[in-house]
Amino acid sequence: MTAIEAENSGAEAGTAPAVHGYHHQKDEHLKRLRRIEGQIRGLQRLVDEDVYCIDILTQVSASTKALQSFALQLLEEHLRHCVADAAVKGGTEIDAKVEEATKAIARLLRT
């Protein structure tokens, strides 16, 4: 775990875990991820059953879009909660959060 991950997770000795931007929708996110997991299992079944390549690719596209949509929602929550909170605090924390969000966006764009 990196220092930033430890700081963000509250994993330092004697601190409570941080409340993240997605916390209030955690159950909805888990439900959505389980649905995506089912799509991936469906892909495995399609390959196992020797389904036509194009049909599998169509399902791959749907799974990819579902993950991208989830990532964008999580990013929005991060901006609204974590970045906005850092902006209120000011100082170097806002610069760090904006840089962190920018790097996350760059990773999403590479996929």
Side-chain angles (χ1 to χ4, degrees), residues 32 36 61-75 108-111:
R32 190 172 191 182
I36 293 168
S61 178
S63 299
T64 300
K65 293 293 181 192
L67 276 172
Q68 288 172 338
S69 177
F70 173 75
L72 284 174
Q73 184 174 2
L74 202 60
L75 178 62
L108 287 172
L109 290 175
R110 284 195 297 259
T111 59

Side-chain angles (χ1 to χ4, degrees), residues 68-88:
Q68 288 172 338
S69 177
F70 173 75
L72 284 174
Q73 184 174 2
L74 202 60
L75 178 62
E76 179 182 354
E77 290 167 359
H78 177 69
L79 293 172
R80 289 184 186 277
H81 180 266
C82 302
V83 176
D85 184 55
V88 169

Side-chain angles (χ1 to χ4, degrees), residues 7-8 17-22 24 75-98 100-101:
E7 177 183 324
N8 290 339
V19 175
H20 300 289
Y22 61 84
H24 297 293
L75 178 62
E76 179 182 354
E77 290 167 359
H78 177 69
L79 293 172
R80 289 184 186 277
H81 180 266
C82 302
V83 176
D85 184 55
V88 169
K89 292 178 182 173
T92 59
E93 189 169 342
I94 182 61
D95 294 332
K97 289 294 181 185
V98 168
E100 179 183 62

Side-chain angles (χ1 to χ4, degrees), residues 1-12 100 107:
M1 180 178 297
T2 68
I4 291 174
E5 290 169 332
E7 177 183 324
N8 290 339
S9 70
E12 297 174 20
E100 179 183 62
R107 284 191 302 272

